[in-house]
Amino acid sequence: MNTIVSSGKCRLCGRLIGKAQMTKHLKTCVSNHAIAAPAKQGKRTRSFHIIVTATYDPRYWLHMEVPAKVTFARLDRVLRDIWLECCGHLSAFSFPQERSPRISSGEDLSQILARLMTLDYDDDIEEQGRLMRARVGSRLVPGMKFEYEYDFGTTTNLSLRVVDEWPTSPSNAKIRLLARNEPPDIRCALCGKPATNICPDCESTDQDCTFCDACAVGHRCGEEMLMPIVNSPRTGVCGYCGPSVEP
């Protein structure tokens, strides 16, 4: 997997936009495609503009509009539908929390300050259950970064960032996909043509692992080991073969 795709399609206007320019583009495009019916005075609510990126493979990214009143469980469901769901694995969101430091004798001020800045992540199951039931508006603010994990065995890690918020109609209760990366240009390791299959066993041992249909015939690990290449950071992981279901 070699070439990093740096563009994606805006789901509002259909234009292909560079990854670095997509945030600026959406600021205007969302305004141009706002729901026409205005809410009554004093009845408007908020939606967040969230960028989701595969933590260890930034070729995969999403821009989403997430109403403040939807729950983290709903956001979890949408991420699963677009990119992740294969076997009903557990998942979790995590937010950075400051530790309460213990000051040891002999520590200088720089050491104490360094530990004060240390982040920890709360993975308590009970707390995670409460978080999933909570509305995203109870935790999120523009500028916030947080993390998401799907499957605690063969984990897919996502990094989320709240880049903006804007007023929206109270009737807007659905998460909206604003933009998504175009499929990465993944090539066959043997002939250089577009690859359609990946071998998880070969990938796990850093061997050539992506093949076109022709070169996949007679693969040494067995053709039954091959999985389809899909537009997801979970390509080749566990039993994930898609399909992608966009909201």
Side-chain angles (χ1 to χ4, degrees), residues 196-200 209 223-230 234-241:
T196 52
N197 303 275
I198 185 169
C199 176
C209 62
E223 292 179 45
E224 70 278 1
M225 291 298 298
L226 298 174
M227 297 173 61
I229 290 176
V230 292
R234 203 158 172 79
T235 289
V237 179
C238 192
Y240 187 76
C241 298

Side-chain angles (χ1 to χ4, degrees), residues 165-219:
E165 71 172 62
W166 46 65
T168 188
S169 168
S171 62
N172 180 21
K174 293 183 178 180
I175 294 174
R176 181 166 58 157
L177 182 64
L178 302 175
R180 181 180 185 177
N181 69 279
E182 288 291 278
D185 181 18
I186 300 172
R187 296 285 165 165
C188 176
L190 301 181
C191 71
K193 293 180 180 178
T196 52
N197 303 275
I198 185 169
C199 176
D201 278 6
C202 291
E203 184 181 33
S204 67
T205 54
D206 293 325
Q207 301 180 63
D208 292 339
C209 62
T210 55
F211 310 97
C212 65
D213 287 341
C215 293
V217 176
H219 177 59

Side-chain angles (χ1 to χ4, degrees), residues 4-126:
I4 294 181
V5 170
S6 59
S7 62
K9 183 170 288 186
C10 174
R11 291 297 194 266
L12 302 180
C13 68
R15 289 179 57 194
L16 201 62
I17 305 292
K19 179 180 179 181
Q21 292 77 41
M22 185 61 79
T23 300
K24 182 178 180 180
H25 167 79
L26 285 172
K27 192 174 184 68
T28 300
C29 204
V30 166
S31 178
N32 292 341
H33 290 80
I35 298 173
K40 293 181 180 179
Q41 186 70 22
K43 295 292 185 179
R44 297 186 75 78
T45 184
R46 300 171 295 152
S47 282
F48 297 104
H49 177 187
I50 297 178
I51 300 176
V52 187
T53 306
T55 305
Y56 303 114
D57 195 343
R59 297 175 300 177
Y60 299 99
W61 48 271
L62 309 168
H63 286 253
M64 298 193 297
E65 179 187 44
V66 182
K69 63 183 178 182
V70 306
T71 63
F72 282 97
R74 181 57 190 158
L75 178 56
D76 170 58
R77 181 72 262 167
V78 169
L79 292 173
R80 288 169 178 259
D81 288 346
I82 296 175
W83 264 355
L84 305 167
E85 188 66 274
C86 61
C87 304
H89 296 292
L90 295 175
S91 59
F93 291 97
S94 55
F95 291 83
Q97 294 182 334
E98 290 187 0
R99 287 178 180 163
S100 299
R102 295 178 181 177
I103 299 176
S104 303
S105 60
E107 282 189 316
D108 61 28
L109 181 59
S110 63
Q111 291 173 315
I112 295 171
L113 290 175
R115 291 204 295 113
L116 280 169
M117 297 300 292
T118 301
L119 298 178
D120 192 11
Y121 290 94
D122 183 6
D123 58 359
D124 179 77
I125 294 176
E126 184 176 343

